[in-house]
């Protein structure tokens, strides 16, 4: 029984969501609820549509041609209830800020470690240099990276280890104050030691953020899940 915590305010309703790319149906009538401050683990066979479902939550599938989604996704964010499926194009950047995503392999911006945080803070959040530096330090402490990199903030981000790069990616998402975090197999490219660091970090982020994480590992799912879901051709079931 993986449902360690079943109560909690429902802040996400995924109702009858079906998604296809061109004429290929990937997801059919998926129903799922997200609860505030909980870590929802999503598992299932390769190719069943886990990443596609994650991307539906912040409309990243819109980036692909011939993508069609039906059904509803409603999220309760600090601004109020957002009908994700109905949002017009110019509201998507704000949605993606509130519903941030971390990918399977670290996807850092070219440039220095600190550039990876200053850039979104200045360009997206409109902070000045002093504010952006202060916020960067705050979030680097939050992802437990500050002590490791505080003396080389201007080094190339690619000089970081894989685990450090993934924590920097997480920091880059957190720096914009998301409310929901989408995590697409964030430890898939990491060794067991770095996986443990990321897992501990995610546990520490529970409560403050609502998280949806894809994992292939039953053990990882068991370790982390407040609620676990299996996605397959029949849709989503909790386990
Ligand atoms: N942009 C796209 N265009 C066309 N087909 C796509 C696109 N993205 C995903 N698909 C297809 O949708 C199906 C589900 O892919 P998805 O990546 O969501 O599965 P997954 O469960 O996350 O797989 P894995 O566990 O292997 O990462 C696959 O058949 C894939 O080829």
């Amino acid at each position: 029984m993986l449902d360690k915590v079943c109560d909690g305010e429902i802040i996400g309703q995924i109702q009858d969501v079906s998604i296809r790319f061109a004429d290929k149906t990937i997801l059919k009538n998926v129903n799922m609820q997200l609860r505030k401050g909980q870590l929802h683990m999503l598992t299932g066979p390769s190719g069943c549509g886990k990443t596609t479902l994650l991307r539906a939550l912040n409309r990243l599938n819109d980036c692909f041609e011939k993508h069609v989604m039906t059904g509803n996704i409603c999220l309760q964010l600090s601004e109020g209830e957002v009908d994700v499926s109905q949002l017009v194009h110019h509201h998507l950047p704000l949605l993606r800020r509130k519903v941030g995503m971390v990918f399977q392999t670290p996807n850092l911006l070219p440039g220095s470690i600190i550039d990876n945080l200053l850039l979104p803070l200045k360009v997206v959040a409109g902070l000045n240099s002093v504010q952006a530096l202060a916020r960067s330090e705050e979030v680097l402490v939050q992802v437990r990276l500050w002590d490791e990199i505080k003396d080389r903030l201007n080094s190339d981000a690619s000089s970081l280890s894989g685990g450090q790069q993934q924590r920097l990616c997480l920091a880059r998402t957190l720096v914009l104050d998301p409310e929901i975090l989408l995590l697409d197999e964030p430890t898939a490219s990491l060794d067991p030691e770095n996986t443990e660091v990321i897992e501990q970090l995610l546990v520490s982020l529970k409560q403050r953020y609502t998280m949806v994480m894809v994992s292939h590992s039953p053990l990882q799912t068991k370790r982390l899940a407040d609620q676990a879901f299996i996605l397959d051709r029949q849709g989503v079931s909790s386990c």
Side-chain angles (χ1 to χ4, degrees), residues 21 24 26 45-52 55 64 185 216:
F21 291 109
K24 187 176 174 191
I26 310 298
S46 182
C48 68
K50 300 179 294 297
T51 299
T52 304
R55 289 193 306 233
F64 304 115
E185 295 190 69
H216 272 287

Side-chain angles (χ1 to χ4, degrees), residues 20-22 24-27 43-55 61 63-67 104 184-185 214-216 231:
R20 64 186 153 85
F21 291 109
K24 187 176 174 191
T25 298
I26 310 298
L27 299 173
T43 187
S46 182
C48 68
K50 300 179 294 297
T51 299
T52 304
L53 180 57
L54 270 198
R55 289 193 306 233
N61 289 314
C63 301
F64 304 115
E65 277 184 25
K66 299 185 178 170
H67 148 262
Q104 201 167 8
D184 192 3
E185 295 190 69
V214 169
S215 176
H216 272 287
L231 186 59

Side-chain angles (χ1 to χ4, degrees), residues 21 28-29 34 37 57 62 64 70 81 86 108 112 118 125 141 152 180 196 200 208 231:
F21 291 109
K28 202 163 179 209
N29 298 331
L34 303 180
L57 296 175
D62 285 31
F64 304 115
T70 56
E81 190 172 297
Q86 298 301 320
L108 292 168
S112 69
L118 294 182
V141 169
R152 54 178 179 128
I180 298 177
E196 194 181 337
Q200 285 174 0
R208 178 150 180 202
L231 186 59

Side-chain angles (χ1 to χ4, degrees), residues 27-202:
L27 299 173
K28 202 163 179 209
N29 298 331
V30 169
N31 290 284
M32 204 175 144
Q33 291 180 333
L34 303 180
R35 289 174 189 269
K36 190 170 185 169
Q38 293 196 3
L39 177 41
H40 308 76
M41 298 293 287
L42 192 56
T43 187
S46 182
C48 68
K50 300 179 294 297
T51 299
T52 304
L53 180 57
L54 270 198
R55 289 193 306 233
L57 296 175
N58 69 358
R59 292 269 302 272
L60 265 186
N61 289 314
D62 285 31
C63 301
F64 304 115
E65 277 184 25
K66 299 185 178 170
H67 148 262
V68 179
M69 181 179 118
T70 56
N72 279 306
I73 297 179
C74 282
L75 300 177
Q76 192 65 44
L77 300 174
S78 49
E79 291 87 15
E81 190 172 297
V82 176
D83 187 343
V84 171
S85 24
Q86 298 301 320
L87 279 185
V88 292
H89 190 73
H90 68 270
H91 286 144
L92 295 183
L94 183 58
L95 171 72
R96 290 172 189 156
R97 192 173 157 181
K98 291 289 174 188
V99 186
M101 187 153 177
V102 176
F103 299 89
Q104 201 167 8
T105 42
N107 61 336
L108 292 168
L109 304 172
S112 69
I113 296 169
I114 198 69
D115 283 344
N116 268 272
L117 300 177
L118 294 182
L119 201 71
L121 283 169
K122 289 180 181 174
V123 175
V124 182
L127 267 53
N128 66 34
S129 297
V130 175
Q131 293 166 324
L133 263 177
R135 177 70 186 131
S136 299
E137 177 176 342
E138 212 171 71
V139 85
L140 286 169
V141 169
Q142 191 182 13
V143 300
R144 302 172 187 175
L145 201 50
W146 177 252
D147 288 338
E148 291 167 47
I149 52 113
K150 64 182 178 206
D151 299 326
R152 54 178 179 128
L153 293 174
N154 290 311
S155 302
D156 203 293
S158 62
S159 67
L160 295 173
S161 73
Q164 289 173 325
Q165 288 192 24
Q166 198 56 312
R167 275 181 283 154
L168 184 57
C169 286
L170 184 57
R172 200 184 54 200
T173 303
L174 295 181
V175 88
L176 293 174
D177 285 324
E179 294 173 38
I180 298 177
L181 283 179
L182 309 176
L183 305 150
D184 192 3
E185 295 190 69
T187 62
S189 62
L190 305 181
D191 60 24
E193 200 178 318
N194 278 301
T195 294
E196 194 181 337
V197 172
I198 295 276
E199 285 189 7
Q200 285 174 0
L201 184 53
L202 295 178

